[in-house]
Amino acid sequence: MPTTISAAALRDLHFLHSQLADLRGRLERGPKQVMAHRANVAKLETAVAESHELVKQTRMAADKKQLDLKTDEARIEGWKGKLNTASSNKEFQTLKEQIEAAEMASSVAEDEILEMLGRVDQYVAGAAKAEATLQAGRDELEKVTAKVKETAAKLRDEIGRLEVQLTTAESALPSEFKDDYERVIRSKGADGLAESEGGVCGGCGQSITLNMQGDLKLNKPTFCKSCGCLLYTPAS
């Protein structure tokens, strides 16, 4: 007696394999989502550290320039004190030119210091914004982690339930057919089964022969000659 397997049984198997593939995929994607959010938090932490370093370095540069300015101002005052004791017009003129040049340089330095202090304020605001973004990223990571953990538990329960159903359904397959069935499932997974309607394989879209269509109607195990899928007819 030839081996037969009902289309309904194959439809159920395909449904179970497809559901399991979807659930397992969702289960695998959960940790990847958490890893992506962790990587984002690490990136934001780096941005915060860099923003604080920028504030620090700019403030140090401004402090140094202010210290240099005070030194220059003290030097200018010293030169001014020497004007009254200059021994000649040439010495007086030299001191005067030194003072004028130093005062001009000090004026430029003052403008630079003001500009740097303005940048410090901007960088401080930028650092605060980066910290707020980091906190939002951490909150999102915590939320996603909790959600993935909760969802994973539900997915595992559903996977376990479907695996039991699949084992039961597979145990009812004819023994002489199981090797071919397991071979195609190992090779293609849920895509190893496909509906055939109108003489076309639902897996690859290729036409099947009239003999194969006849075998399907007789519930004989039929594999697509193009893609190897185990075929079944749609529900009427």
Side-chain angles (χ1 to χ4, degrees), residues 36-174:
H37 281 279
R38 281 178 180 163
N40 182 57
V41 167
K43 182 179 178 181
L44 294 174
E45 287 173 340
T46 298
V48 167
E50 289 176 346
S51 64
H52 282 297
E53 183 64 20
L54 187 58
V55 170
K56 177 184 174 182
Q57 294 299 327
T58 306
R59 185 171 282 147
M60 287 174 60
D63 290 344
K64 182 178 184 305
K65 193 167 275 293
Q66 285 178 319
L67 184 61
D68 292 341
L69 179 60
K70 289 180 180 180
T71 300
D72 291 340
E73 287 174 345
R75 186 181 298 113
I76 291 171
E77 289 303 313
W79 287 337
K80 286 181 178 179
K82 292 180 180 179
L83 284 174
N84 297 325
T85 59
S87 59
S88 64
N89 288 334
K90 181 178 180 181
E91 183 183 356
F92 181 88
Q93 189 63 33
T94 299
L95 287 169
K96 187 176 179 182
E97 290 174 355
Q98 287 178 331
I99 291 170
E100 290 174 351
E103 287 178 337
M104 183 176 294
S106 294
S107 177
V108 172
E110 287 173 351
D111 292 339
E112 290 176 345
I113 290 169
L114 288 174
E115 190 270 336
M116 292 173 76
L117 292 176
R119 276 192 283 136
V120 168
D121 291 339
Q122 291 176 0
Y123 295 155
V124 167
K129 184 177 180 181
E131 287 176 347
T133 303
L134 171 59
Q135 187 57 52
R138 285 172 172 165
D139 291 343
E140 184 65 17
L141 170 60
E142 183 177 352
K143 183 168 67 175
V144 169
T145 301
K147 182 65 176 178
V148 166
K149 184 178 180 180
E150 177 187 358
T151 302
K154 295 178 180 178
L155 288 172
R156 289 190 184 96
D157 288 343
E158 183 66 8
I159 288 171
R161 184 182 68 81
L162 290 176
E163 285 177 339
V164 170
Q165 291 185 23
L166 179 61
T167 298
T168 301
E170 289 178 334
S171 66
L173 292 173

